[in-house]
């Protein structure tokens, strides 16, 4: 509790390549950029950074990573894991995954309204899964806007 990513990486033997992004607490915590490497990974610091400790399963991405692909991988996970009880999560996770697939397929406008979808999921889903399911995408768009074209505007 409270260790920084820099300290954790030192203990783990470093990064293969150059650090680009990381998830401090698994899929639900979204992505943080490499410049947050000295952020203490505790409840308060991560909440203030717009993330969370989540499962505390730290995921490290190097600069070979395509953030659209990374967000899509998480979107597929959340769509699979949604139990379907409430519509903001059941439908929202489908929309996020489909939008990312369309964007990756060349549709530059596919993510235009995704922030509104993400807001609805965060505010109206019954449990934490749906509330966090769009965070990988919205955090990737926030910190790596160049990989999402005009979608962040
Ligand atoms: S938010 Fe929770 S309860 Fe609602 S569909 Fe998703 S997993 Fe089920």
């Amino acid at each position: 509790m409270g260790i920084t990513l820099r300290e954790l990486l030192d203990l783990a033997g470093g990064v293969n390549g150059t650090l680009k992004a990381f998830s401090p607490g698994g899929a639900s915590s979204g992505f943080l950029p490499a410049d947050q490497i000295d952020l203490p990974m505790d409840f308060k610091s991560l909440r203030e950074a717009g993330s969370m400790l989540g499962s505390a399963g730290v995921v490290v991405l190097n600069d070979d990573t395509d953030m659209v692909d990374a967000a899509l991988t998480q979107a597929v996970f959340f769509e699979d894991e949604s139990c379907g009880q409430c519509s903001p999560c059941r439908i929202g996770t489908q929309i996020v995954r489909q939008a990312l697939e369309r964007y990756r397929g060349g549709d530059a406008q596919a993510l235009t309204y995704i922030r509104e979808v993400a807001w609805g999921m965060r505010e109206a889903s019954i449990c934490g899964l749906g509330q966090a399911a769009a965070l990988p995408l919205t955090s990737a768009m926030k910190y790596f806007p160049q990989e999402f074209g005009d979608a962040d505007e």
Side-chain angles (χ1 to χ4, degrees):
M1 177 69 76
I3 194 170
T4 68
L5 184 68
R6 187 188 301 277
E7 293 167 336
L8 188 62
L9 289 175
D10 285 345
L11 291 170
V15 181
N16 184 8
T18 301
L19 177 67
K20 179 175 182 177
F22 65 104
S23 296
S28 298
S29 63
F31 298 110
L32 291 172
D35 64 9
Q36 299 290 304
I37 192 171
D38 292 312
L39 183 71
M41 291 192 282
D42 57 40
F43 290 113
K44 182 173 183 287
S45 301
L46 289 172
R47 185 169 57 247
E48 290 174 352
S51 183
M52 67 174 80
L53 201 53
S55 64
V58 179
V59 178
V60 176
L61 307 177
N62 71 13
D63 60 358
D64 288 337
T65 305
D66 180 321
M67 295 308 295
V68 175
D69 284 343
L72 179 56
T73 298
Q74 306 293 38
V76 170
F77 165 77
F78 280 115
E79 184 182 8
D80 285 346
E81 293 299 317
S82 173
C83 77
Q85 183 180 359
C86 62
S87 54
C89 173
R90 182 181 67 250
I91 299 170
T93 53
Q94 293 174 18
I95 291 174
V96 168
R97 189 262 306 158
Q98 290 169 353
L100 276 162
E101 288 180 343
R102 292 206 319 273
Y103 183 76
R104 191 174 63 169
D107 179 355
Q109 305 304 313
L111 298 173
T112 300
Y113 297 108
I114 210 65
R115 289 188 179 284
E116 285 79 358
V117 174
W119 180 86
M121 295 168 68
R122 187 174 65 247
E123 296 297 321
S125 292
I126 290 176
C127 81
L129 187 142
Q131 293 161 9
L135 186 57
L137 173 57
T138 56
S139 59
M141 291 170 69
K142 175 181 179 181
Y143 292 116
F144 303 94
Q146 68 280 8
E147 299 190 37
F148 292 87
D150 296 332
D152 197 45
E153 297 177 355

